[in-house]
Amino acid sequence: MKLLSSFIIFIFPLVFPCVILSSKSYQQLQLPGVVGPESLAFDCNGEGPYVGVSDGRILKWKAANSGWTEFATTAPHRAREICDGSTNTTLEPLCGRPLGIKFNPVTCDLYIADAYFGLMVVGPNGGQAQQLASSAGGIPFRFTNDLDIDPNTGIVYFTDSSIYFQRRQYFMSIATGDRSGRLLKYDPLKKNVTVMYNGLSFPNGVALSNNNSFLLLAESATLKILRFWLQGERTTYTPQLFAEMPRFPDNIKSDSKGEFWIAMNSARGKIESNKKTAFCEETAKPWFLRDPVGVKFDVNGNVVDVLDGNEGNTLNSVSEVQEYGGYLYTGSSVQPYVVVIKA
Ligand SMILES: *[C@@H]1O[C@H](CO)[C@@H](O)[C@H](O)[C@H]1NC(C)=O
Ligand SMILES: *[C@@H]1O[C@H](CO)[C@@H](O)[C@H](O)[C@H]1NC(C)=O
Ligand SMILES: *[C@@H]1O[C@H](CO)[C@@H](O)[C@H](O)[C@H]1NC(C)=O
């Protein structure tokens, strides 16, 4: 099984176009003194990107001349004089830390997975977000991470990476083999949260398929992408292995064709996985990929594209790759910018 999936990953690079950053034109949208645009969203009018950043705010990009403006905040008692402009992770429980964000394309509300304040929502004009849920099955969320929304039902699928460790202690979750992460769903009509699956090792990105028949979930600590089928009135869910990744997978974003970009965190020297060699160094082939920071899969799990960081600093620590309007946008949980690449 292992051999077979490696083989599939290795053989596909022969036929897909590889986006190598150094040979592409790209632009960096520099943030105003903050870092960590972990996830990106575009609103109902196609404006954005919007990003959640280190000081707990959600910022909106308003094109080249006006830059970033504040759109929303998450923490209920956020002290602006302490928080605004902060890059100090110790302050996150006070200031908030919005991670996964996405607009519901029907209501135009922005849903937010804040690492410290759970599942939240804010209207199309922004402001202070409202908390929708902070626990499930009697257990508080500890590290709400990413979400996606079924536009037909409004159901929000989201992840809580750990019930023990907060975002600032993410490394402990990986180091201790913590398996307390959960896949959850919020029903906006019943206004409650159901645990779909628990016992996950650092569940992270989540993305629905085009027709909402399944979702993909990145189980970061095991380097696996799991597929959960959603059709019918299900009360139990059994994941299938969709792909194995050479580095820690982070957010997953579907594009207009229903294919999935899965970002991988290179975090060189920090939490680099030892599986990197399996992808990069055992094979000195012409299509040799040195530094994959994003891999695009079709619905069957075939690799159809790769974004290669070319071992430069620009795409070090990519947390999200999102294809929108002919561009690739990349987020990062540590860098002070968003990268926009002509696709
Ligand atoms: C971060 O904030 C904490 C709490 O206010 C403070 O003790 C610490 O010195 C700050 N760290 C940095 C690097 O500013
Ligand atoms: C959610 O609410 C519905 C309707 O009020 C109820 O039937 C269901 O049991 C609730 N589920 C949970 C997990 O609380
Ligand atoms: C949805 O798409 C999946 C493949 O992605 C396919 O197997 C399934 O039949 C589709 N379902 C509907 C209702 O179209």
Side-chain angles (χ1 to χ4, degrees):
M1 190 59 208
K2 243 205 168 80
L3 259 182
L4 185 63
S5 62
S6 306
F7 181 69
I8 290 168
I9 286 179
F10 288 145
I11 202 159
F12 271 90
L14 289 167
V15 294
F16 62 75
C18 181
V19 181
I20 297 176
L21 187 68
S22 60
S23 62
K24 280 278 174 180
S25 61
Y26 69 92
Q27 194 195 349
Q28 280 171 245
L29 312 181
Q30 211 68 32
L31 292 165
V34 287
V35 300
E38 209 258 355
S39 173
L40 305 132
F42 295 89
D43 67 20
C44 284
N45 302 317
E47 293 178 11
Y50 295 70
V51 294
V53 295
S54 58
D55 71 356
R57 289 181 296 169
I58 293 167
L59 306 177
K60 176 183 181 182
W61 176 252
K62 287 200 167 168
N65 42 5
S66 36
W68 296 98
T69 57
E70 180 178 319
F71 176 74
T73 51
T74 53
H77 306 292
R78 188 175 177 278
R80 209 168 257 286
E81 63 285 3
I82 297 172
C83 297
D84 281 5
S86 169
T87 57
N88 184 344
T89 56
T90 309
L91 296 176
E92 288 179 353
L94 170 69
C95 303
R97 185 65 173 97
L99 296 177
I101 54 173
K102 177 142 186 173
F103 282 91
N104 177 321
V106 176
T107 65
C108 301
D109 292 330
L110 180 70
Y111 285 79
I112 305 157
D114 184 281
Y116 299 86
F117 296 101
L119 183 66
M120 308 189 83
V121 69
V122 68
N125 298 320
Q128 174 61 39
Q130 301 302 310
Q131 189 178 61
L132 296 172
S134 60
S135 71
I139 300 172
F141 307 150
R142 191 89 177 143
F143 183 173
T144 332
N145 197 323
D146 194 28
L147 58 81
D148 200 359
I149 304 165
D150 181 334
N152 300 320
T153 59
I155 289 176
V156 183
Y157 297 89
F158 63 107
T159 50
D160 186 35
S161 294
S162 173
I163 66 171
Y164 301 118
F165 299 103
Q166 292 186 316
R167 191 195 94 89
R168 348 175 244 152
Q169 310 152 327
Y170 75 94
F171 187 76
M172 283 301 292
S173 172
I174 293 172
T176 60
D178 172 22
R179 296 194 62 89
S180 68
R182 299 184 287 174
L183 172 64
L184 305 146
K185 68 174 177 181
Y186 171 78
D187 186 324
L189 298 176
K190 297 173 183 162
K191 299 196 189 312
N192 65 14
V193 177
T194 309
V195 180
M196 291 174 62
Y197 203 78
N198 58 29
L200 293 162
S201 295
F202 209 114
N204 197 330
V206 59
L208 288 159
S209 66
N210 243 8
N211 67 11
N212 307 299
S213 61
F214 68 85
L215 66 77
L216 295 184
L217 175 136
E219 192 182 31
S220 293
T222 60
L223 311 185
K224 285 179 180 156
I225 306 302
L226 304 176
R227 187 206 306 254
F228 290 82
W229 291 98
L230 304 172
Q231 281 155 332
E233 282 295 310
R234 309 277 306 270
T235 52
T236 59
Y237 297 87
T238 310
Q240 295 173 337
L241 181 63
F242 179 80
E244 291 189 85
M245 307 299 285
R247 287 171 159 175
F248 288 104
D250 202 325
N251 290 345
I252 309 175
K253 286 288 166 182
S254 62
D255 68 4
S256 55
K257 279 164 65 186
E259 297 177 332
F260 300 95
W261 273 109
I262 300 177
M264 288 185 293
N265 200 320
S266 56
R268 295 189 197 96
K270 227 177 162 196
I271 53 163
E272 185 137 36
S273 85
N274 53 15
K275 274 203 190 170
K276 184 194 172 188
T277 47
F279 197 64
C280 303
E281 279 154 29
E282 280 172 15
T283 51
K285 298 271 168 62
W287 44 267
F288 177 63
L289 297 168
R290 290 184 304 173
D291 186 24
V293 297
V295 180
K296 191 186 196 182
F297 290 92
D298 68 15
V299 289
N300 299 315
N302 300 314
V303 175
V304 292
D305 207 344
V306 169
L307 175 62
D308 191 294
N310 206 28
E311 303 206 322
N313 285 328
T314 308
L315 293 185
N316 192 6
S317 293
V318 169
S319 58
E320 176 163 308
V321 179
Q322 187 169 161
E323 192 163 343
Y324 189 82
Y327 292 88
L328 295 181
Y329 292 81
T330 71
S332 169
S333 50
V334 293
Q335 301 286 17
Y337 52 74
V338 167
V339 180
V340 189
I341 308 163
K342 189 92 190 80

